[in-house]
Amino acid sequence: EVQLVESGGGLVQPGGSLRLSCVVSGFTFNTYSMNWVRQAPGKGLEWVSYISSGSGTIYYADSVKGRFTVSRDNAKNSMYLQMNSLRDEDAAVYFCARDRGSTTFFDFWGQGALVIVSS
Amino acid sequence: QSVLTQPPSVSGAPGQRVTISCTGSSSNIGAGYDVHWYQQLPGTAPKLLIYANNNRPSGVPDRFSGSKSGTSASLAITGLQAEDEADYYCQSYDSSLRVRVFGGGTELTVL
């Protein structure tokens, strides 16, 4: 069974930092690209970042470029999102999602990690 | 303002058929990029419902179907059931923005 489990969410002050983790099981992690997708409270879905299977290709949404860094450790079946200089508008549930092609769809999602940005 | 436009809400009685539209432009759906649909039940993560316009992943009932034409796509749900009450999102790729884009989501209410 494919499983993706996020952790690391929490309350952080504006300007602060947080690191999210996504641990996967049930599939060969090092053969799949992965993504982070977020959902602000009561709002729709927004793609955040993409990382290829070997970390050679990385993309970011303009809204987070220069502040967020995605990485992965294939030996640990894990992906990470380092979030710096957090803003009020970064508050959201962050989902990790498995990729089925860089222009296509996300076939499995984690349950999400809640990030609250507030002073 | 989402790149893909969906109606904020639709509703239908049990057993009825409803459709949810997803309107894009020449840089996404109209450029030939596939449309995918996700179902998000209250308080849960999105789940892939339809991929590549009209394909259902294993386990998705055939009551759900998708179509695409020109710069738009649609999700149809027949034999509406109470358990279908959820938010539905369309998604595609935009060649101008060079990112994957979502619709704003449609809340389905089963009356």
Side-chain angles (χ1 to χ4, degrees):
Chain A
E1 180 191 7
V2 172
Q3 287 193 320
L4 297 84
V5 180
E6 301 92 337
S7 61
L11 172 64
V12 60
Q13 293 185 339
S17 299
L18 210 57
R19 188 194 195 210
L20 302 182
S21 299
C22 172
V23 179
V24 314
S25 60
F27 65 96
T28 306
F29 182 61
N30 63 13
T31 64
Y32 284 88
S33 299
M34 298 290 294
N35 295 266
W36 289 98
V37 178
R38 69 184 180 184
Q39 185 172 36
K43 302 296 185 183
L45 300 169
E46 178 190 16
W47 170 81
V48 172
S49 183
Y50 162 96
I51 184 168
S52 62
S53 58
S55 304
T57 301
I58 288 174
Y59 301 123
Y60 298 100
D62 286 346
S63 57
V64 307
K65 203 171 293 182
R67 300 186 298 121
F68 289 13
T69 302
V70 64
S71 62
R72 64 190 291 163
D73 184 339
N74 287 342
K76 295 183 178 180
N77 281 359
S78 296
M79 176 179 66
Y80 309 98
L81 186 67
Q82 177 67 43
M83 303 184 293
N84 298 331
S85 303
L86 281 161
R87 305 168 179 168
D88 290 347
E89 56 265 33
D90 295 319
V93 175
Y94 284 74
F95 299 101
C96 61
R98 194 175 79 168
D99 199 282
R100 291 309 300 270
S102 61
T103 66
T104 66
F105 57 95
F106 314 106
D107 61 351
F108 287 95
W109 299 62
Q111 87 290 348
L114 176 62
V115 173
I116 303 169
V117 182
S118 175
S119 53
Chain B
Q1 199 83 327
S2 300
V3 173
L4 304 178
T5 301
Q6 298 180 233
S9 64
V10 297
S11 62
Q16 284 190 332
R17 177 181 187 268
V18 296
T19 62
I20 298 172
S21 62
C22 175
T23 302
S25 68
S26 58
S27 62
N28 41 68
I29 299 175
Y33 292 102
D34 288 335
V35 178
H36 321 290
W37 292 90
Y38 303 88
Q39 177 192 59
Q40 188 175 30
L41 297 170
T44 69
K47 168 193 165 187
L48 180 66
L49 193 66
I50 297 287
Y51 67 93
N53 308 316
N54 55 13
N55 296 278
R56 287 185 308 278
S58 174
V60 173
D62 59 7
R63 301 187 296 105
F64 295 90
S65 63
S67 63
K68 174 190 158 185
S69 178
T71 58
S72 295
S74 288
L75 172 71
I77 309 172
T78 58
L80 207 55
Q81 299 180 5
E83 67 204 49
D84 298 332
E85 222 172 62
D87 292 328
Y88 293 84
Y89 293 90
C90 62
Q91 177 250 310
S92 186
Y93 178 81
D94 190 282
S95 58
S96 292
L97 300 173
R98 296 199 292 177
V99 298
R100 274 171 281 192
V101 292
F102 289 94
T106 299
E107 181 181 19
L108 169 63
T109 300
V110 180
L111 301 171

